[in-house]
Amino acid sequence: MEEGARGGMGMEAELVSIPATPRGVSTPETVTPSGQRSPLPRAPGGGGGGSHSLSNKSWTPTPAMISPRFLSPSVGTPVKRVLVNLRAYLEEVGHLTRLNPQDAWLPITESRNGNAHYAAFHNLNAGIGFQALVLPVAFAFLGWSWGIISLIIAYFWQLYTLWILVKLHEAVPGRRYNRYVELAQAAFGERLGVWLALFPTVYLSAGTATALILIGGETMKLFFQIVCGPLCSSNPLSTVEWYLVFTSLCIVLSQLPNLNSIAGLSLIGAVTAITYTSMAWVLSVSQERPPSISYQPLRSQSFTASVFSILNALGIIAFAFRGHNLALEIQATMPSTFKHPAHVPMWRGAKVAYLLIAMCLFPIAIGGFWAYGNLMPAGGMLNALYAFHSHDIARGLLATTFLLVVFNCLSSFQIYSMPVFDSFEAGYTSRTNRPCSIWVRSGFRVFYGFISFFIGVALPFLSSLAGLLGGLTLPVTFAYPCFMWVLIKKPQRFSFNWYLNWGLGMMGIAFSLAFSIGGVWSMVNSGLKLKFFKPN
């Protein structure tokens, strides 16, 4: 008995020297340059209790090392407390993330205090917006049956690939893939991953920003004309000047430092998007339909032209479900521990967001096509409302709808531009080995805003640009996640999971090529002319 007691006391003395880490904390924090709190970067092989877990070929301790029989009531209370603390410590050591010191300086990973609410706000802001307004344009070329079928298939397909991305964020213990390109590199290889993922993700962010400038500037012009009415001056601003006004507002808001800091803007963007999409289809279906309305799909004079138009319409539907290039970035703003992994709040917020997205996209596509049929202007629902009902709907109600669109575009510009800002600052910090100063960060964002403005002035084709964007960036949403699941998770060959992901991935690549051709044809066929409705 005495020897057993002395043995227990000896064990206690040895274990007390091991620090006990609280269960809710995985890494210490430091204050980042913008004042946000972020996990403290640790160099590989650094000191501390988790130094061994930070190497690439690390030995990962597991809770199984502390057998349940050691925690039985027969063990003394002090020893049991030490063993419980040790078990929690080993759990956290096994979950420690190998952090890149540069992450604490970059906008995506600078702040790690996100939660499920932030995830819902960001996913709503990224997943719904101006692209919903051009869905009835796609229905004008596809008709009722194929339009609804295509929309349903695209919705559930992208919901499945979003789940894949959420699960793959921490697919490897001790590693978080904070950016889409990082996950692509882990799946396809360092070089091939960059080639496959960098262009479509950057193109999606920059192309969306350009399209937001187009729709935001044009909507501001329509809003001004509605509010001003007959009192407008004889020399109103031109469309390009309205683009410049909208771009200037975007640049001012883009000075917020990181992704978590724009959570309030994302909430505003989500609320305004839900409101104006609902107002757009409710106002449309509540008015009398045009007398010459028809629901027959639009057909071109030649068979080839009709095929390309259909492909462009499918590209518009694909572009309506953009936002997967931001899923990993949104999840990277959340803390993650062994007991509370980041994928839990992320998926909870994403489910709420995409339920609301479905409640917005399906009514506006179906209701808009029902109200205008194949008379739908190429600019989408806003142009249809102004063209057909500017004298039937109260001017204040119409102006409110347009103003909500402007607010949403301003908010969406911020979240879609954040990956580009992150890339700019990553290049700067890797070369200088120090964080960006306020002036350097502001300079990057001003430069990006005006580059997007000049591209928008040179390529002012919203509906055609939407189809091309949908085609070129379709792999990011529909194809790459399926391939990455197979390459990282390695499901059993020739199993249902294996066939499902390979099949969806190959179909996504084929659709991407076809939709891109349709988008290019639509832009060329437009004759480089602005396709927005031009009010007098």
Side-chain angles (χ1 to χ4, degrees), residues 440-468:
V440 172
R441 174 172 284 181
S442 298
F444 283 145
R445 302 183 181 198
V446 171
F447 170 78
Y448 172 74
F450 283 111
I451 286 295
S452 300
F453 164 75
F454 288 123
I455 295 175
V457 172
L459 301 172
F461 324 103
L462 177 63
S463 59
S464 299
L465 186 62
L468 183 60

Side-chain angles (χ1 to χ4, degrees), residues 98-158:
R98 293 185 293 272
L99 297 176
N100 183 351
Q102 190 183 10
D103 280 348
W105 300 337
L106 302 180
I108 297 296
T109 50
E110 192 177 60
S111 173
R112 300 273 194 177
N113 60 355
N115 52 45
H117 298 90
Y118 285 15
F121 300 159
H122 289 317
N123 278 288
L124 270 172
N125 192 26
I128 186 172
F130 75 93
Q131 77 279 8
L133 300 174
V134 294
L135 278 176
V137 179
F139 274 52
F141 290 95
L142 298 174
W144 279 117
S145 300
W146 286 110
I148 294 176
I149 291 173
S150 301
L151 193 60
I152 292 174
I153 292 175
Y155 176 77
F156 285 102
W157 190 348
Q158 61 86 34

Side-chain angles (χ1 to χ4, degrees), residues 4 48 91 153 180 279 325 480:
E91 288 176 351
I153 292 175
Y180 197 100
M279 290 179 65
N325 64 312
Y480 289 166

Side-chain angles (χ1 to χ4, degrees), residues 334-352:
M334 300 179 183
S336 184
T337 66
F338 184 84
K339 292 295 184 182
H340 304 284
H343 70 82
V344 175
M346 175 63 184
W347 183 238
R348 189 184 304 128
K351 286 189 294 185
V352 174

Side-chain angles (χ1 to χ4, degrees), residues 379-390:
M381 287 291 289
L382 292 184
N383 299 103
L385 279 172
Y386 193 92
F388 294 104
H389 304 301
S390 59

Side-chain angles (χ1 to χ4, degrees), residues 172-359:
V172 178
R175 174 69 189 271
R176 296 184 69 176
Y177 298 108
N178 298 315
R179 296 162 183 86
Y180 197 100
V181 176
E182 293 178 9
L183 184 60
Q185 288 179 301
F188 304 120
E190 292 291 331
R191 292 189 177 182
L192 184 59
V194 171
W195 281 102
L196 290 177
L198 185 61
F199 171 74
T201 53
V202 172
Y203 182 79
L204 182 57
S205 295
T208 301
T210 300
L212 286 167
I213 290 176
L214 296 180
I215 189 65
E218 184 69 20
T219 306
M220 289 182 73
K221 179 181 179 180
L222 294 176
F223 171 77
F224 179 78
Q225 292 180 347
I226 291 172
V227 173
C228 186
L231 302 178
C232 289
S233 62
S234 57
N235 296 316
L237 294 179
S238 65
T239 303
V240 174
E241 290 171 333
W242 281 112
Y243 292 163
L244 183 60
V245 172
F246 181 83
T247 303
S248 301
L249 293 176
C250 289
I251 291 174
V252 172
L253 292 176
S254 69
Q255 302 308 312
L256 293 172
N258 55 59
L259 191 54
N260 269 338
S261 66
I262 64 170
L265 285 178
S266 290
L267 175 60
I268 294 174
V271 172
T272 53
I274 294 173
T275 305
Y276 78 69
T277 51
S278 301
M279 290 179 65
W281 72 264
V282 169
L283 290 175
S284 297
V285 301
S286 63
Q287 304 296 320
E288 292 186 6
R289 289 178 289 177
S292 58
I293 190 173
S294 173
Y295 298 110
Q296 292 297 321
L298 294 173
R299 291 291 181 263
S300 301
Q301 296 180 352
S302 65
F303 175 77
T304 303
S306 297
V307 170
F308 284 143
S309 298
I310 292 173
L311 292 177
N312 182 62
L314 292 173
I316 292 175
I317 291 179
F319 182 56
F321 296 106
R322 82 234 201 290
H324 282 44
N325 64 312
L326 295 169
L328 295 171
E329 284 79 355
I330 294 171
Q331 195 168 343
T333 64
M334 300 179 183
S336 184
T337 66
F338 184 84
K339 292 295 184 182
H340 304 284
H343 70 82
V344 175
M346 175 63 184
W347 183 238
R348 189 184 304 128
K351 286 189 294 185
V352 174
Y354 277 85
L355 177 62
L356 294 174
I357 288 172
M359 294 171 61

